[in-house]
Coordinates of all heavy atoms in Angstrom, one line a residue:
M981 N -1.2 -5.7 -14.4 CA 0.0 -5.2 -13.6 C 0.3 -6.4 -12.7 O -0.5 -7.1 -12.1 CB -0.4 -4.0 -12.8 CG -0.4 -2.8 -13.5 SD -0.7 -1.4 -12.4 CE -1.7 -0.5 -13.4
K982 N 1.7 -6.6 -12.5 CA 2.2 -7.7 -11.6 C 2.9 -6.9 -10.5 O 3.9 -6.2 -10.7 CB 3.2 -8.5 -12.4 CG 3.7 -9.7 -11.5 CD 4.5 -10.7 -12.2 CE 5.0 -11.7 -11.2 NZ 6.0 -12.5 -11.7
F983 N 2.4 -7.2 -9.3 CA 2.9 -6.7 -8.1 C 3.8 -7.8 -7.4 O 3.1 -8.9 -7.2 CB 1.8 -6.2 -7.2 CG 1.1 -5.0 -7.8 CD1 -0.1 -5.2 -8.5 CD2 1.6 -3.6 -7.6 CE1 -0.7 -4.1 -9.1 CE2 0.8 -2.6 -8.2 CZ -0.2 -2.8 -8.9
T984 N 4.9 -7.6 -7.0 CA 5.8 -8.5 -6.3 C 6.2 -8.0 -4.9 O 7.0 -6.9 -4.9 CB 7.1 -8.9 -7.1 OG1 6.6 -9.3 -8.4 CG2 7.9 -9.9 -6.4
D985 N 5.7 -8.5 -3.9 CA 6.1 -8.1 -2.5 C 7.4 -8.6 -2.2 O 7.8 -9.7 -2.5 CB 5.0 -8.9 -1.5 CG 3.6 -8.3 -1.6 OD1 3.4 -7.2 -2.3 OD2 2.8 -8.9 -1.1
T986 N 8.2 -7.7 -1.6 CA 9.6 -8.0 -1.2 C 9.7 -7.9 0.3 O 10.7 -8.3 0.9 CB 10.6 -7.0 -1.8 OG1 10.1 -5.7 -1.4 CG2 10.6 -7.1 -3.4
Y987 N 8.7 -7.3 0.9 CA 8.7 -7.2 2.4 C 7.2 -7.3 2.8 O 6.4 -6.6 2.3 CB 9.3 -6.0 3.0 CG 9.1 -5.7 4.4 CD1 10.0 -6.3 5.3 CD2 8.0 -5.0 4.9 CE1 9.9 -6.1 6.7 CE2 7.9 -4.8 6.3 CZ 8.8 -5.3 7.2 OH 8.7 -5.2 8.4
V988 N 6.9 -8.2 3.8 CA 5.5 -8.4 4.3 C 5.6 -8.2 5.8 O 6.5 -8.9 6.5 CB 5.0 -9.8 3.9 CG1 3.6 -9.9 4.5 CG2 4.9 -9.9 2.4
N989 N 4.7 -7.4 6.4 CA 4.7 -7.2 7.7 C 3.3 -7.7 8.2 O 2.3 -7.1 8.1 CB 4.8 -5.7 8.1 CG 4.9 -5.5 9.6 OD1 4.0 -6.0 10.4 ND2 5.8 -4.8 10.1
P990 N 3.3 -8.9 8.7 CA 2.0 -9.6 9.1 C 1.4 -9.0 10.3 O 0.1 -9.0 10.5 CB 2.3 -11.1 9.2 CG 3.8 -11.1 9.6 CD 4.4 -9.9 8.9
K991 N 2.1 -8.4 11.2 CA 1.6 -7.8 12.4 C 0.8 -6.6 12.1 O -0.3 -6.3 12.5 CB 2.7 -7.5 13.4 CG 2.2 -6.8 14.6 CD 3.5 -6.5 15.6 CE 2.9 -5.8 16.8 NZ 4.0 -5.2 17.6
E992 N 1.3 -5.7 11.2 CA 0.8 -4.4 10.8 C -0.1 -4.5 9.6 O -0.7 -3.5 9.1 CB 1.7 -3.3 10.8 CG 2.4 -3.0 12.0 CD 1.5 -2.4 13.1 OE1 0.6 -1.9 12.8 OE2 2.0 -2.6 14.3
F993 N -0.1 -5.7 8.9 CA -0.9 -5.9 7.7 C -0.6 -5.0 6.5 O -1.4 -4.3 5.9 CB -2.4 -5.8 8.0 CG -3.0 -6.9 8.9 CD1 -3.2 -6.4 10.2 CD2 -3.0 -8.2 8.6 CE1 -3.7 -7.4 11.1 CE2 -3.6 -9.1 9.4 CZ -3.8 -8.8 10.7
F994 N 0.7 -4.9 6.1 CA 1.1 -4.2 4.9 C 2.3 -4.9 4.3 O 3.0 -5.7 4.9 CB 1.4 -2.7 5.2 CG 2.8 -2.5 5.9 CD1 3.9 -2.3 5.1 CD2 2.9 -2.5 7.3 CE1 5.1 -2.1 5.8 CE2 4.1 -2.3 7.9 CZ 5.1 -2.0 7.1
S995 N 2.5 -4.5 3.0 CA 3.6 -5.1 2.2 C 4.4 -3.9 1.6 O 3.7 -2.9 1.3 CB 3.1 -6.1 1.2 OG 2.5 -7.1 1.9
L996 N 5.7 -4.2 1.2 CA 6.3 -3.3 0.3 C 6.7 -4.2 -0.9 O 6.9 -5.4 -0.8 CB 7.7 -2.9 1.0 CG 7.5 -2.0 2.3 CD1 8.9 -1.8 2.9 CD2 6.9 -0.7 2.1
G997 N 6.8 -3.5 -2.1 CA 7.2 -4.3 -3.3 C 7.5 -3.5 -4.5 O 7.6 -2.2 -4.3
I998 N 7.6 -4.2 -5.6 CA 7.9 -3.5 -6.9 C 6.8 -3.9 -7.9 O 6.5 -5.2 -8.0 CB 9.3 -4.0 -7.3 CG1 10.4 -3.6 -6.3 CG2 9.6 -3.3 -8.7 CD1 11.8 -4.1 -6.6
Q999 N 6.3 -3.0 -8.6 CA 5.4 -3.3 -9.6 C 6.3 -3.7 -10.9 O 7.0 -2.8 -11.4 CB 4.5 -2.1 -10.0 CG 3.3 -2.5 -10.8 CD 3.4 -2.5 -12.2 OE1 4.2 -1.7 -12.8 NE2 2.8 -3.5 -12.9
E1000 N 6.2 -4.9 -11.3 CA 7.2 -5.5 -12.4 C 7.2 -4.8 -13.6 O 8.3 -4.5 -14.2 CB 6.9 -7.0 -12.5 CG 7.2 -7.8 -11.3 CD 8.6 -7.8 -10.8 OE1 9.5 -7.6 -11.5 OE2 8.8 -8.0 -9.6
T1001 N 6.1 -4.4 -14.1 CA 6.0 -3.8 -15.5 C 6.6 -2.5 -15.5 O 7.4 -2.1 -16.4 CB 4.4 -3.7 -15.9 OG1 3.9 -4.9 -15.8 CG2 4.4 -3.2 -17.4
S1002 N 6.3 -1.6 -14.5 CA 6.8 -0.2 -14.5 C 8.1 0.0 -13.7 O 8.8 0.9 -13.8 CB 5.8 0.7 -14.0 OG 5.6 0.5 -12.6
G1003 N 8.3 -1.0 -12.8 CA 9.6 -0.8 -11.9 C 9.2 0.1 -10.7 O 10.2 0.5 -9.9
R1004 N 8.1 0.5 -10.6 CA 7.7 1.5 -9.5 C 7.6 0.7 -8.1 O 7.2 -0.5 -8.1 CB 6.3 2.1 -9.7 CG 6.2 3.1 -10.8 CD 4.9 3.4 -11.3 NE 4.2 4.2 -10.4 CZ 3.0 4.7 -10.5 NH1 2.3 4.5 -11.7 NH2 2.4 5.4 -9.6
F1005 N 7.9 1.4 -7.2 CA 7.8 0.8 -5.7 C 6.5 1.2 -5.1 O 5.9 2.1 -5.5 CB 9.0 1.3 -4.9 CG 10.3 1.1 -5.4 CD1 11.0 1.9 -6.2 CD2 10.9 -0.1 -5.0 CE1 12.3 1.6 -6.7 CE2 12.2 -0.5 -5.4 CZ 12.8 0.4 -6.3
Y1006 N 6.0 0.3 -4.2 CA 4.7 0.5 -3.6 C 4.7 0.0 -2.2 O 5.5 -0.7 -1.7 CB 3.7 -0.2 -4.5 CG 3.8 -1.7 -4.4 CD1 3.2 -2.5 -3.4 CD2 4.3 -2.4 -5.4 CE1 3.3 -3.9 -3.3 CE2 4.5 -3.8 -5.4 CZ 3.9 -4.5 -4.3 OH 4.0 -5.9 -4.3
V1007 N 3.7 0.5 -1.6 CA 3.2 0.0 -0.3 C 1.7 -0.5 -0.5 O 1.0 0.2 -1.2 CB 3.1 1.1 0.8 CG1 2.3 0.7 2.1 CG2 4.5 1.6 1.1
S1008 N 1.3 -1.6 0.0 CA 0.0 -2.2 -0.2 C -0.4 -2.7 1.2 O 0.3 -3.0 2.1 CB 0.0 -3.2 -1.2 OG 0.6 -4.3 -0.8
F1009 N -1.8 -2.8 1.2 CA -2.4 -3.3 2.4 C -3.9 -3.9 2.0 O -4.4 -3.4 1.0 CB -2.6 -2.3 3.6 CG -3.2 -1.0 3.2 CD1 -4.6 -0.9 3.3 CD2 -2.4 0.0 2.8 CE1 -5.2 0.4 3.0 CE2 -3.1 1.3 2.5 CZ -4.4 1.4 2.5
P1010 N -4.4 -4.7 2.7 CA -5.7 -5.4 2.4 C -6.8 -4.4 2.7 O -6.8 -3.7 3.7 CB -5.8 -6.6 3.2 CG -4.9 -6.4 4.3 CD -3.8 -5.5 3.9
V1011 N -7.8 -4.5 1.9 CA -9.0 -3.7 2.1 C -10.2 -4.7 1.8 O -10.1 -5.6 1.1 CB -9.2 -2.4 1.3 CG1 -8.2 -1.4 1.7 CG2 -9.0 -2.7 -0.2
S1012 N -11.4 -4.3 2.2 CA -12.6 -5.1 2.0 C -13.8 -4.3 1.7 O -14.0 -3.3 2.4 CB -12.8 -6.1 3.3 OG -13.9 -6.9 3.1
N1013 N -14.6 -4.6 0.7 CA -16.0 -4.1 0.6 C -16.9 -5.2 0.8 O -16.7 -6.3 1.0 CB -16.0 -3.3 -0.7 CG -15.9 -4.1 -2.0 OD1 -16.3 -5.4 -1.9 ND2 -15.5 -3.6 -3.0
R1014 N -18.2 -5.0 0.5 CA -19.2 -5.9 0.7 C -19.2 -7.1 -0.2 O -19.8 -8.1 0.0 CB -20.6 -5.3 0.8 CG -21.0 -4.6 -0.5 CD -22.3 -3.9 -0.4 NE -22.6 -3.2 -1.6 CZ -23.7 -3.1 -2.1 NH1 -24.6 -3.7 -1.7 NH2 -23.7 -2.4 -3.3
L1015 N -18.4 -6.9 -1.3 CA -18.3 -8.0 -2.2 C -17.1 -8.8 -2.3 O -17.1 -10.0 -2.6 CB -18.5 -7.3 -3.7 CG -19.8 -6.6 -3.9 CD1 -19.7 -5.9 -5.3 CD2 -21.0 -7.5 -3.9
T1016 N -15.9 -8.1 -1.9 CA -14.7 -8.9 -2.0 C -13.5 -8.2 -1.1 O -13.7 -7.1 -0.6 CB -14.2 -8.9 -3.5 OG1 -13.0 -9.7 -3.6 CG2 -13.8 -7.5 -3.9
D1017 N -12.5 -8.9 -1.0 CA -11.3 -8.4 -0.3 C -10.2 -8.1 -1.5 O -10.2 -8.9 -2.3 CB -10.7 -9.4 0.7 CG -11.6 -9.7 1.8 OD1 -12.5 -8.8 2.1 OD2 -11.4 -10.7 2.5
Y1018 N -9.5 -7.2 -1.4 CA -8.5 -6.8 -2.4 C -7.3 -5.9 -1.7 O -7.4 -5.6 -0.6 CB -9.1 -6.1 -3.5 CG -9.7 -4.8 -3.3 CD1 -9.0 -3.6 -3.5 CD2 -11.0 -4.7 -2.8 CE1 -9.6 -2.4 -3.3 CE2 -11.6 -3.4 -2.6 CZ -10.8 -2.2 -2.8 OH -11.5 -1.0 -2.7
E1019 N -6.4 -5.6 -2.5 CA -5.3 -4.8 -2.1 C -5.3 -3.4 -2.6 O -5.8 -3.3 -3.7 CB -3.9 -5.4 -2.5 CG -3.6 -6.7 -1.8 CD -2.9 -6.6 -0.5 OE1 -2.1 -5.7 -0.3 OE2 -3.2 -7.5 0.4
E1020 N -5.0 -2.3 -1.9 CA -4.8 -1.1 -2.5 C -3.2 -0.9 -2.4 O -2.6 -1.1 -1.6 CB -5.5 0.0 -1.6 CG -6.9 0.1 -1.8 CD -7.5 1.4 -1.1 OE1 -6.9 2.1 -0.4 OE2 -8.7 1.5 -1.5
Y1021 N -2.8 -0.3 -3.7 CA -1.3 -0.2 -3.8 C -1.1 1.5 -4.0 O -1.7 2.2 -4.8 CB -1.0 -0.9 -5.1 CG -1.0 -2.3 -5.1 CD1 -2.2 -2.9 -5.5 CD2 0.0 -3.1 -4.7 CE1 -2.4 -4.3 -5.4 CE2 -0.2 -4.5 -4.6 CZ -1.4 -5.0 -5.0 OH -1.5 -6.4 -4.9
Y1022 N -0.1 1.9 -3.1 CA 0.3 3.3 -3.1 C 1.8 3.5 -3.7 O 2.6 2.7 -3.1 CB 0.2 3.8 -1.7 CG -1.2 4.0 -1.3 CD1 -2.0 2.8 -0.9 CD2 -1.8 5.2 -1.3 CE1 -3.3 3.0 -0.4 CE2 -3.2 5.3 -0.9 CZ -4.0 4.2 -0.4 OH -5.2 4.4 -0.1
A1023 N 2.0 4.3 -4.6 CA 3.3 4.5 -5.2 C 4.2 5.2 -4.1 O 3.7 6.2 -3.5 CB 3.2 5.3 -6.5
I1024 N 5.5 4.7 -4.1 CA 6.5 5.4 -3.2 C 7.7 5.5 -4.1 O 7.9 4.6 -5.1 CB 6.8 4.7 -1.9 CG1 7.0 3.2 -2.1 CG2 5.5 4.9 -1.0 CD1 7.4 2.5 -0.7
D1025 N 8.7 6.3 -3.8 CA 10.0 6.4 -4.5 C 10.9 5.4 -3.8 O 10.7 4.8 -2.8 CB 10.5 7.8 -4.5 CG 10.8 8.4 -3.2 OD1 11.1 7.6 -2.2 OD2 10.8 9.6 -3.1
Q1026 N 12.0 5.1 -4.5 CA 13.0 4.1 -4.1 C 13.6 4.6 -2.7 O 13.7 3.6 -1.9 CB 14.2 4.0 -5.1 CG 15.1 2.9 -4.7 CD 16.1 2.6 -5.8 OE1 16.1 3.3 -6.9 NE2 17.1 1.8 -5.5
Q1027 N 13.9 5.7 -2.4 CA 14.4 6.2 -1.2 C 13.5 5.9 0.0 O 13.8 5.4 1.0 CB 14.7 7.7 -1.2 CG 15.3 8.3 0.0 CD 15.6 9.8 0.0 OE1 15.3 10.3 -1.1 NE2 16.2 10.2 1.1
T1028 N 12.1 6.1 -0.3 CA 11.1 5.9 0.7 C 11.0 4.3 1.0 O 10.9 3.8 2.1 CB 9.7 6.4 0.4 OG1 9.9 7.8 0.2 CG2 8.7 6.2 1.4
F1029 N 11.0 3.6 -0.1 CA 11.0 2.1 0.0 C 12.2 1.6 0.8 O 12.0 0.8 1.7 CB 11.1 1.6 -1.6 CG 11.3 0.1 -1.7 CD1 10.2 -0.7 -1.6 CD2 12.4 -0.5 -1.8 CE1 10.2 -2.1 -1.8 CE2 12.6 -1.9 -2.1 CZ 11.4 -2.6 -1.9
E1030 N 13.3 2.1 0.5 CA 14.5 1.6 1.3 C 14.4 2.0 2.8 O 14.8 1.3 3.7 CB 15.8 2.2 0.7 CG 16.1 1.5 -0.5 CD 17.2 2.1 -1.4 OE1 17.8 3.2 -0.9 OE2 17.5 1.7 -2.5
C1031 N 13.9 3.3 3.0 CA 13.7 3.7 4.4 C 12.7 2.9 5.1 O 12.9 2.4 6.2 CB 13.2 5.2 4.5 SG 12.6 5.8 6.0
F1032 N 11.6 2.5 4.5 CA 10.5 1.8 5.2 C 11.0 0.4 5.4 O 10.6 -0.3 6.5 CB 9.2 1.7 4.3 CG 8.5 3.0 4.3 CD1 7.4 3.1 3.4 CD2 8.8 4.1 5.0 CE1 6.6 4.3 3.3 CE2 8.0 5.2 5.1 CZ 6.9 5.4 4.3
Q1033 N 11.9 -0.2 4.7 CA 12.5 -1.6 5.0 C 13.2 -1.4 6.3 O 13.3 -2.5 7.0 CB 13.3 -2.0 3.8 CG 12.5 -2.3 2.6 CD 13.4 -2.9 1.5 OE1 14.5 -2.4 1.3 NE2 12.9 -3.9 0.8
N1034 N 13.8 -0.3 6.7 CA 14.6 -0.2 7.9 C 14.0 0.5 9.0 O 14.4 0.4 10.2 CB 15.9 0.4 7.5 CG 16.7 -0.2 6.6 OD1 16.9 -1.5 6.7 ND2 17.1 0.5 5.5
D1035 N 12.8 1.2 8.8 CA 12.2 1.9 9.8 C 10.6 1.5 9.7 O 9.9 2.3 9.1 CB 12.3 3.4 9.5 CG 11.9 4.4 10.7 OD1 11.1 3.7 11.5 OD2 12.2 5.4 10.6
V1036 N 10.3 0.5 10.4 CA 9.0 0.0 10.4 C 7.9 1.1 10.9 O 6.9 1.2 10.4 CB 8.8 -1.2 11.3 CG1 7.4 -1.8 11.3 CG2 9.6 -2.4 10.6
D1037 N 8.4 1.8 12.0 CA 7.5 2.8 12.5 C 7.1 3.9 11.5 O 6.0 4.3 11.4 CB 8.1 3.4 13.8 CG 8.3 2.6 14.9 OD1 7.5 1.7 15.1 OD2 9.2 2.9 15.8
A1038 N 8.1 4.3 10.7 CA 7.8 5.3 9.7 C 6.9 4.6 8.5 O 5.9 5.3 8.1 CB 9.1 5.7 8.9
A1039 N 7.0 3.4 8.3 CA 6.2 2.7 7.2 C 4.8 2.6 7.8 O 3.8 2.9 7.1 CB 6.8 1.3 7.0
V1040 N 4.6 2.2 9.1 CA 3.3 2.1 9.7 C 2.6 3.5 9.7 O 1.3 3.5 9.4 CB 3.4 1.5 11.2 CG1 2.1 1.5 11.9 CG2 3.8 0.1 11.1
E1041 N 3.3 4.5 10.0 CA 2.7 5.8 10.0 C 2.2 6.2 8.6 O 1.0 6.7 8.5 CB 3.8 6.9 10.4 CG 3.2 8.3 10.5 CD 4.2 9.3 10.9 OE1 5.2 8.9 11.7 OE2 4.1 10.5 10.5
F1042 N 2.9 5.9 7.6 CA 2.6 6.1 6.2 C 1.4 5.3 5.9 O 0.3 5.8 5.3 CB 3.8 5.8 5.2 CG 3.5 6.1 3.9 CD1 3.6 7.3 3.2 CD2 3.0 5.0 3.0 CE1 3.4 7.5 1.8 CE2 2.7 5.1 1.7 CZ 2.9 6.5 1.2
V1043 N 1.4 4.0 6.2 CA 0.3 3.1 5.9 C -1.0 3.6 6.6 O -2.0 3.7 5.9 CB 0.6 1.7 6.3 CG1 -0.7 0.8 6.2 CG2 1.7 1.1 5.4
N1044 N -0.9 4.1 7.8 CA -2.2 4.6 8.5 C -2.7 5.8 7.8 O -3.9 5.9 7.7 CB -1.8 4.7 10.0 CG -1.6 3.5 10.7 OD1 -2.3 2.5 10.3 ND2 -1.0 3.5 11.8
R1045 N -1.8 6.7 7.3 CA -2.3 7.8 6.5 C -3.0 7.3 5.3 O -4.1 8.0 4.9 CB -1.2 8.8 6.1 CG -0.6 9.4 7.4 CD 0.4 10.6 7.0 NE -0.3 11.6 6.3 CZ 0.2 12.3 5.3 NH1 1.6 12.3 5.1 NH2 -0.3 13.4 4.7
C1046 N -2.4 6.3 4.7 CA -3.1 5.8 3.4 C -4.5 5.2 3.7 O -5.5 5.4 3.1 CB -2.2 4.8 2.8 SG -0.8 5.4 2.0
R1047 N -4.5 4.5 4.9 CA -5.8 3.9 5.3 C -6.9 4.9 5.6 O -8.0 4.7 5.4 CB -5.6 3.0 6.6 CG -4.8 1.7 6.4 CD -4.6 1.0 7.6 NE -3.8 -0.4 7.2 CZ -2.9 -0.9 7.9 NH1 -2.6 -0.3 9.1 NH2 -2.5 -2.1 7.6
R1048 N -6.5 6.1 6.0 CA -7.4 7.1 6.3 C -7.7 7.9 5.0 O -8.4 9.0 5.1 CB -6.8 8.1 7.4 CG -6.8 7.4 8.8 CD -6.5 8.5 9.8 NE -5.2 9.2 9.6 CZ -4.0 8.8 10.1 NH1 -3.9 7.8 10.9 NH2 -2.8 9.6 9.8
H1049 N -7.2 7.5 3.8 CA -7.4 8.2 2.5 C -6.7 9.6 2.5 O -7.2 10.4 1.6 CB -8.9 8.2 2.2 CG -9.5 6.9 2.2 ND1 -10.9 6.8 2.1 CD2 -9.1 5.7 2.4 CE1 -11.3 5.5 2.1 NE2 -10.2 4.9 2.3
E1050 N -5.7 9.8 3.2 CA -5.0 11.1 3.2 C -4.0 11.1 2.0 O -3.6 12.3 1.7 CB -4.3 11.3 4.5 CG -5.2 11.4 5.8 CD -4.5 11.6 7.1 OE1 -3.2 11.7 7.0 OE2 -5.1 11.6 8.0
L1051 N -3.6 10.1 1.4 CA -2.6 10.1 0.4 C -3.2 9.4 -0.9 O -2.4 8.8 -1.7 CB -1.5 9.3 0.9 CG -0.7 10.0 2.0 CD1 0.4 9.1 2.7 CD2 -0.2 11.4 1.8
D1052 N -4.5 9.6 -1.3 CA -5.1 8.9 -2.3 C -4.4 9.3 -3.7 O -4.6 8.6 -4.6 CB -6.6 9.3 -2.4 CG -7.4 8.4 -1.4 OD1 -6.8 7.5 -0.7 OD2 -8.6 8.7 -1.4
E1053 N -3.8 10.4 -3.7 CA -3.1 10.9 -4.9 C -2.0 9.9 -5.4 O -1.5 9.9 -6.5 CB -2.6 12.2 -4.9 CG -1.5 12.5 -3.9 CD -1.9 12.7 -2.5 OE1 -3.0 12.6 -2.2 OE2 -0.9 13.1 -1.6
L1054 N -1.6 9.1 -4.4 CA -0.5 8.1 -4.6 C -1.1 6.7 -5.1 O -0.2 5.7 -5.4 CB 0.4 7.9 -3.4 CG 1.0 9.2 -2.9 CD1 1.8 8.9 -1.6 CD2 2.0 9.7 -4.0
L1055 N -2.3 6.5 -5.1 CA -2.9 5.2 -5.5 C -2.5 4.9 -6.9 O -2.6 5.7 -7.8 CB -4.4 5.2 -5.5 CG -5.1 5.0 -4.1 CD1 -6.5 5.5 -4.0 CD2 -4.9 3.6 -3.8
I1056 N -2.0 3.6 -7.0 CA -1.4 3.2 -8.5 C -2.8 2.8 -9.2 O -2.9 3.1 -10.4 CB -0.5 2.0 -8.3 CG1 0.7 2.5 -7.7 CG2 -0.3 1.3 -9.7 CD1 1.7 1.4 -7.4
Q1057 N -3.8 2.1 -8.6 CA -5.0 1.8 -9.3 C -6.1 2.4 -8.6 O -6.3 2.2 -7.3 CB -5.2 0.3 -9.2 CG -4.1 -0.4 -10.0 CD -4.4 -2.0 -9.8 OE1 -4.5 -2.5 -8.7 NE2 -4.3 -2.7 -11.0
K1058 N -6.8 3.4 -9.2 CA -7.9 4.1 -8.5 C -9.1 3.2 -8.2 O -9.4 2.4 -9.1 CB -8.3 5.3 -9.5 CG -7.2 6.2 -9.8 CD -6.5 6.8 -8.7 CE -5.4 7.9 -9.2 NZ -4.5 8.2 -8.3
P1059 N -9.7 3.3 -7.0 CA -10.8 2.5 -6.7 C -12.0 2.9 -7.4 O -12.2 4.0 -7.9 CB -10.9 2.5 -5.2 CG -10.3 3.9 -4.9 CD -9.2 4.1 -5.9
G1060 N -13.0 2.0 -7.5 CA -14.3 2.3 -8.2 C -15.2 2.9 -7.1 O -14.9 3.4 -6.1
W1061 N -16.4 2.9 -7.5 CA -17.5 3.5 -6.6 C -17.6 2.8 -5.3 O -18.1 3.4 -4.3 CB -18.8 3.6 -7.3 CG -19.4 2.2 -7.7 CD1 -19.2 1.5 -8.7 CD2 -20.2 1.5 -6.7 NE1 -19.8 0.3 -8.7 CE2 -20.5 0.3 -7.5 CE3 -20.8 1.7 -5.6 CZ2 -21.3 -0.7 -7.0 CZ3 -21.6 0.6 -5.1 CH2 -21.9 -0.5 -5.9
N1062 N -17.3 1.4 -5.3 CA -17.6 0.7 -4.2 C -16.2 0.4 -3.4 O -15.8 -0.8 -3.2 CB -18.2 -0.7 -4.6 CG -18.7 -1.5 -3.4 OD1 -18.9 -0.9 -2.3 ND2 -19.0 -2.8 -3.6
R1063 N -15.6 1.5 -3.1 CA -14.2 1.3 -2.4 C -14.4 0.7 -1.1 O -15.3 0.9 -0.2 CB -13.6 2.7 -2.2 CG -12.2 2.7 -1.7 CD -11.6 4.1 -1.7 NE -10.2 4.0 -1.3 CZ -9.5 5.0 -1.2 NH1 -10.0 6.2 -1.5 NH2 -8.1 4.9 -0.9
G1064 N -13.4 -0.2 -0.8 CA -13.3 -0.9 0.5 C -12.8 -0.1 1.6 O -12.3 1.0 1.5
T1065 N -12.7 -0.8 2.8 CA -12.3 -0.2 4.1 C -11.1 -1.0 4.5 O -11.2 -2.2 4.3 CB -13.3 -0.3 5.1 OG1 -14.5 0.5 4.6 CG2 -12.9 0.3 6.4
A1066 N -10.1 -0.5 4.9 CA -8.9 -1.2 5.4 C -9.2 -2.2 6.5 O -10.0 -2.0 7.3 CB -7.8 -0.1 5.9
I1067 N -8.6 -3.3 6.3 CA -8.8 -4.4 7.2 C -7.8 -4.3 8.3 O -6.8 -3.9 8.2 CB -8.5 -5.8 6.4 CG1 -9.5 -6.0 5.3 CG2 -8.6 -6.9 7.5 CD1 -9.3 -7.3 4.5

């Protein structure tokens, strides 16, 4: 899968983008486990994608819910047994 970030928020450590193969929109943020650092990608619809580009507070609220694992059903790639913690 190829993920292309279209918006990066370095202060809040998240990105918005498009998964090139499927055309799906996503929110991503870095996570870390004892072996490596990686990104978790959460699917969002186009309307949410456009909203988050203009409303950073709404995006941060969503990202924080993802970090607390409240929206795991939206994960594009399911984590394995050694799931990381948000950075």
